[in-house]
Amino acid sequence: MLHLKAPSDGGALSATEIEDNFADLHPPLSATQAEVEAARCLYCFDAPCIAACPTAIDIPRFIHQIRTGNVDGSARTILSANIMGGTCARACPTEVLCEQSCVVNKTEGGPVKIGQMQRRAVDHLLAKDAPHPFERAPKTGRRLAVVGAGPAGLSFAHRAAMLGHDVTVFEARPKPGGLNEYGLAAYKMVEDFAQAEVAFLLGVGGIDIKYNQRLGEAVNLDTLREAFDAVFLSVGLSDASALDAPGSHLPGVRDALGFIEDLRQADDLAKLEVGADVVVIGGGNTAIDAAVQAKRLGARSVTLAYRRGPEQMGATKWEQDLAQVNGVIVRHWSSPVRFSGEDAVSSATFRRTRLEGGALVELDDEFTVPADQVLLAVGQKLRHDPLAALERDGAKIRVSDTFETSASRVYAGGDCIRSGEDLTVQAVEDGKRAAHAVDAALKSNGAAH
């Protein structure tokens, strides 16, 4: 983990100190380090690490290829299963997926560093000025629309293009990448990697991205259905959930994802305003990312409050430990009651909680902490209006086993459906599988639209 540079009392971090604080969280392995790590792999025949990976990367194979010096082949093994293997190597919670399932995890001093070796292979290939490693099938004459250039949409587009279809992606923002570009902590995605990965992905050809095309405004679902042979929705959960607490309207109280987006898009982090006393509310990875980055920007104190205990937090134990190592004060069993202040927020009041018979109850015990900035990471939800006609599975879009929605020729994947954890790696798998499902449906339906 990075060594945190903190401001002195009353002082501010210099631009150099902030830059150091946002250096790469996991510096890449050298060639020698990767080969040494690869030698630890047992190359299990029935490898549990493969079963634990949502995209089913052949992990023993890519590690063996690294060990034998075939790094390009290793990258192709990874990318054939997960075209966004570079981002997943940086941001995927390998500690609860492939590495947790590694056979040597509890017998030989910890798991094989699968994520770091994956990054070694993929970065090596992306750095080369070489042709795209995957070729397109003969053109089918089919035209597919994708709504959203996040992980699911880009994965769908790449696989559909490989299958010979022409794909047009409609993206609401001015840049592609979705949460990889706008929502992950900056120290996980240094050197503009999200955009480099998208540029590599587009190298397969047959994919056109149109920007500033928000669904329900610049484009609508009915028009796309008329113009294209099929539509794939990868709209994510784009609206922040509200927190119903007095004072939520005060200046200084804002959505944590908006804070992270501003940070990721800032040209100069030293000019980005951060409160002296920051309170983050939530228990997921977004809350951790916001809290740690606020601290690394130079906040004097950062308090992360969560209404339940550490075992119920959405963030992994590794992420929780990262917050505490970075000086974040974590207060469990703390439910927000109100935010106070005159012209802007100045404090946050919480009520202590506990579980009784499995139900969360609030106690008659309140405490207040200073806060000149409050970041809300209490979840995201689906934008309702543009997709109101589609059947729901709870708060998400209902899909069949082939990812088709209740509207014919309209498919969906990623965070907007229920298919597993809301992770980049799961979104990539959704997009890949949906592309094959659409391809099979189009082949069975005859002529192009």
Side-chain angles (χ1 to χ4, degrees), residues 101-124:
S101 299
C102 178
V103 171
V104 303
N105 190 15
K106 296 181 180 180
T107 62
E108 297 185 18
V112 174
K113 297 177 181 177
I114 297 170
Q116 287 184 272
M117 282 195 290
Q118 179 169 311
R119 175 175 174 178
R120 166 68 186 166
V122 174
D123 284 9
H124 173 81

Side-chain angles (χ1 to χ4, degrees), residues 397-439:
I397 299 171
R398 182 184 300 279
V399 296
S400 68
D401 292 342
T402 60
F403 295 88
E404 191 168 18
T405 71
S406 57
S408 64
R409 296 186 297 107
V410 177
Y411 298 74
D415 291 355
C416 65
I417 71 167
R418 295 188 186 280
S419 60
E421 297 291 332
D422 289 345
L423 298 171
T424 295
V425 65
Q426 183 62 58
V428 171
E429 179 67 5
D430 288 355
K432 179 180 71 177
R433 290 177 57 198
H436 283 287
V438 170
D439 181 65

Side-chain angles (χ1 to χ4, degrees), residues 307-330:
R307 61 180 182 162
R308 298 178 183 268
E311 295 80 9
Q312 290 81 37
M313 290 183 75
T316 66
K317 185 180 184 303
W318 193 95
E319 291 282 352
Q320 294 180 49
D321 290 345
L322 178 67
Q324 297 195 43
V325 166
N326 278 267
V328 175
I329 301 166
V330 180

Side-chain angles (χ1 to χ4, degrees), residues 164-343:
H165 308 301
D166 290 325
V167 183
T168 301
V169 182
F170 297 87
E171 167 55 37
R173 297 175 183 268
K175 295 168 69 175
L179 288 180
N180 292 357
E181 171 62 34
Y182 293 100
L184 294 177
Y187 47 70
K188 296 177 181 177
M189 300 289 286
V190 301
E191 297 176 350
D192 208 20
F193 181 77
Q195 294 308 305
E197 185 173 58
V198 173
F200 162 77
L201 181 151
L202 295 177
V204 73
I207 305 171
D208 179 37
I209 304 182
K210 298 183 181 298
Y211 300 104
N212 301 307
Q213 302 290 304
R214 185 174 296 278
L215 186 66
E217 298 175 10
V219 293
N220 66 71
L221 188 55
D222 289 340
T223 300
L224 294 178
R225 291 180 70 193
E226 292 175 3
F228 292 88
D229 293 287
V231 179
F232 180 70
L233 302 172
S234 54
V235 294
L237 301 175
S238 56
D239 287 358
S241 298
L243 182 64
D244 185 18
S248 298
H249 65 285
L250 285 169
V253 180
R254 63 176 306 195
D255 173 40
L257 268 178
F259 169 77
I260 295 172
E261 178 178 337
D262 288 349
L263 192 153
R264 284 293 304 274
Q265 302 305 309
D267 294 327
D268 184 354
L269 292 179
K271 294 181 179 179
L272 195 65
E273 293 186 4
V274 65
D277 298 303
V278 179
V279 169
V280 181
I281 297 175
N285 287 338
T286 296
I288 299 289
D289 282 354
V292 173
Q293 290 186 108
K295 192 67 177 173
R296 289 190 169 276
L297 282 173
R300 179 178 57 202
S301 72
V302 178
T303 300
L304 189 152
Y306 179 58
R307 61 180 182 162
R308 298 178 183 268
E311 295 80 9
Q312 290 81 37
M313 290 183 75
T316 66
K317 185 180 184 303
W318 193 95
E319 291 282 352
Q320 294 180 49
D321 290 345
L322 178 67
Q324 297 195 43
V325 166
N326 278 267
V328 175
I329 301 166
V330 180
R331 289 180 174 267
H332 300 110
W333 308 109
S334 301
S335 180
V337 175
R338 61 184 172 276
F339 307 112
S340 303
E342 295 295 332
D343 298 325

